[in-house]
Amino acid sequence: MSENLGYGLLVICDSRANFQDLPDGAPGAGKGRSFISSVDATVINVQHGSEGDVTARLWTAQEDWGRYGACELGVTSISLPSGVVVIGDVLQERVMRVALEPGTYRLQICADEPVNAATIDLVLVA
């Protein structure tokens, strides 16, 4: 997907995510963290919409681990009990939905830049 993410935040979540366990405050370069995570959602700081579109790519094979992006922003896990991962803007107006096997996945977050990334590679591995 390639979209203008007006708030500079990319959300990866289960289609039925409740976002209740997310830490307070949005991620950001000045806050020392490029993403925040909960059980069923991750929010990544990316390039603001005023600077251009953000491209998000999803990879789902073990052999994809570590193969994409110029830098790794981090690794977390995400629970997808519905079997549908949603990737999009914070308001969920521009989204991509992908069906996967329900379960918990390791999520590797890679980017073209460590701050204000315009390209994000997401690797989900069961």
Side-chain angles (χ1 to χ4, degrees):
M1 100 178 226
S2 187
E3 294 285 345
N4 183 296
L5 303 180
Y7 292 99
L9 297 171
L10 179 68
V11 177
I12 300 93
C13 63
D14 183 70
S15 65
R16 295 186 293 224
N18 60 23
F19 301 94
Q20 290 181 358
D21 297 330
L22 276 175
D24 290 336
K31 298 176 182 166
R33 56 186 178 182
S34 55
F35 68 93
I36 57 174
S37 290
S38 68
V39 172
D40 59 5
T42 296
V43 180
I44 306 167
N45 180 28
V46 295
Q47 171 177 272
H48 192 276
S50 63
E51 298 175 17
D53 290 353
V54 171
T55 298
R57 300 181 292 207
L58 179 66
W59 310 95
T60 60
Q62 179 66 44
E63 60 267 14
D64 293 323
W65 196 267
R67 292 189 60 210
Y68 296 96
C71 61
E72 181 182 279
L73 300 182
V75 175
T76 188
S77 63
I78 187 167
S79 178
L80 302 173
S82 74
V84 176
V85 62
V86 179
I87 302 167
D89 69 313
V90 72
L91 298 177
Q92 300 289 283
E93 293 175 340
R94 298 175 194 99
V95 298
M96 169 176 64
R97 297 177 189 277
V98 179
L100 300 169
E101 288 293 319
T104 300
Y105 289 79
R106 288 184 301 148
L107 171 61
Q108 180 184 45
I109 305 165
C110 298
D112 60 341
E113 298 288 336
V115 178
N116 294 329
T119 302
I120 296 288
D121 287 292
L122 307 165
V123 183
L124 283 174
V125 178

